[in-house]
Structures are given as C-alpha cells and as structure tokens.
Amino acid sequence: QNIALGKQTKQSADKRQKGSYLAVDGSTNDQIGNRCTHTEQEFNSWWSVDLGAIYLISHVIIWGRKDCCIERLSSFTIDAIMPVKPRKCGPYQFGNWTDFFMGDISECHYQNEKVDFLNATCQQNTVGQFVRIQLEKTDYLSLCEVEIFGRQLPSEYIGGKGSYKCGSSGHRIEGDFLETAFARSIIECVYLCSVRHECYASNYNKATQECQQHVAEKKSNPLTNMIQDPDWDVFGSL
C-alpha cells in the first residue's frame, strides 16, 4: 500500500503554482510539466512528504517528467527523517515541519544518473516520519508522482506503554551487552534494540556510530547504571 498518497507535502519553493501536492495525487500517467511539482532553480532543491507516523521504509517509486528536462532529475538523495530526538524520560511525539529541518536522517538511496522513473530499494533500517527527495546540485526539482512503501512501527517503538522512552545525552550505561552494531543515528540504534525483546537500552556513540545493545531484567531500570560520557547518548526503557 502506498503510504504517501494524499499526505501533507512541502517543497523548497513553488514555481508557477505547481505545488508539492501534485506528487501524491495518485496520478502516474501524466508525466508532463503541468501535472508535476516544480521548484525554483536553487542549490539543494527539495520535496518532502509527512507520512503522519513513523515508518520503516522499504522502497520509494518516483515518476519524473518525460516531456522535458529529464537531466534535471539526477544527483539526488532519498532520505527518511525522524523528526523527534529522545527527550529525557518522556515519550516520543510526532513531529511537525519545524522538527523536519532538525531530525535524524536515514539515507534510503542516492541516484546519480538521470531518470524519468525510479524504483529505489531503501537501505536496511531506513526509518522516519518524513521522506525527502533532495538534489545534490543547483537545478529545478520536478516530480510527477512519488509512492512510498513500508510498515508503520509499533507503539513499542514510538513511545507506548513499556516502550523505549527514557534517555539522556552525554551519558552511557555499563553492564552486559547483547552485541555492538553499526547505526547511522540514535534513532536507528534504538530501532535495532526495539526489535529484540531481550534488549532494554542502547548506548550510541555519535562519532563512531557504534550502537551497544544492553540486556537487563525487564522489570529493572537499566538507566540506573548510567554514567557521564560526552561521546555517548543512552536511550532505554523504564
């Protein structure tokens, strides 16, 4: 199921009233200029959709223009953005467009060659509420339709009862670890922990992108073993 259809969208600028909503109107047949989004010509032109919840993104399909300027749709990234950073001992809340500009980014795909159609499989653990398509050059960005596929993450991930909802920057916990993994953000590190029932907290090193998954008794609070360390962030359950 296309989770982008009819959702709220934005883009870096509107040219000739060709708004961002045209990329999620459900029409994949009209790959011509008057049925496609259009930004101004600028560096890092972007388009984004708010999925309204946090998803694990599997793939993104893009229809570009066929009537003109195919070379414009090249040298771009597809990113998922998780807009809410862990708050100290508080649940996740869905973000807004202000959070969008500050969120943790998971790169789904980078496309160098020009395309008028792309079916991009995302990298593993691409997680976010927003999906953004952004040029890595100075040009117009025009999209005729964007479809996004993935699964909504359960309440255990986004801050429901018994979830990973207590954390602190500049700290880490000591104790026994299930494993050490690589993660591109604290959000991905938390996700890796959340899918393992025996994992109750994560240490994340921002510099090395090291993710330490901590094991503890479910009824205990692993954050009681927290110590100060400026290189690490910790996020765990209560």
Side-chain angles (χ1 to χ4, degrees), residues 52-53 70 118 123 131 136 138 143 154 159 196 200 213 215 219:
I70 295 175
L118 176 68
Q123 298 185 53
V131 171
E136 297 293 302
T138 299
L143 304 169
R196 302 186 63 167
Y200 293 99
Q213 299 177 31
V215 61
K219 293 183 179 180

Side-chain angles (χ1 to χ4, degrees), residues 137-209:
K137 60 180 181 177
T138 299
D139 212 334
Y140 302 98
L141 176 62
S142 187
L143 304 169
C144 299
E145 192 69 17
V146 177
E147 293 186 352
I148 300 170
F149 298 85
R151 64 178 179 87
Q152 186 173 345
L153 292 179
S155 60
E156 286 78 6
Y157 179 67
I158 62 175
K161 184 178 180 181
S163 67
Y164 297 81
K165 59 183 180 180
C166 191
S168 182
S169 296
H171 292 79
R172 62 180 174 85
I173 53 173
E174 295 184 314
D176 296 327
F177 293 93
L178 295 166
E179 66 176 359
T180 298
F182 170 83
R184 291 164 290 177
S185 69
I186 180 64
I187 299 301
E188 183 175 348
C189 183
V190 171
Y191 170 74
L192 292 174
C193 185
S194 71
V195 296
R196 302 186 63 167
H197 72 275
E198 67 269 46
C199 182
Y200 293 99
S202 299
N203 290 332
Y204 183 68
N205 188 305
K206 299 178 288 293
T208 65
Q209 297 184 309

Side-chain angles (χ1 to χ4, degrees), residues 2 5-6 21-31 35-37 47 61-64 133 143-147:
N2 174 20
L5 182 64
Y21 68 92
L22 290 170
V24 293
D25 63 0
S27 175
T28 60
N29 297 320
D30 300 323
Q31 289 181 259
R35 294 300 306 162
C36 305
T37 71
W47 174 94
I61 304 176
I62 299 172
W63 284 262
I133 298 169
L143 304 169
C144 299
E145 192 69 17
V146 177
E147 293 186 352

Side-chain angles (χ1 to χ4, degrees), residues 117-137:
F117 175 82
L118 176 68
N119 188 342
T121 299
C122 292
Q123 298 185 53
Q124 189 177 13
N125 300 323
T126 298
V127 177
Q129 178 181 334
F130 300 106
V131 171
R132 179 183 64 188
I133 298 169
Q134 179 171 276
L135 296 181
E136 297 293 302
K137 60 180 181 177

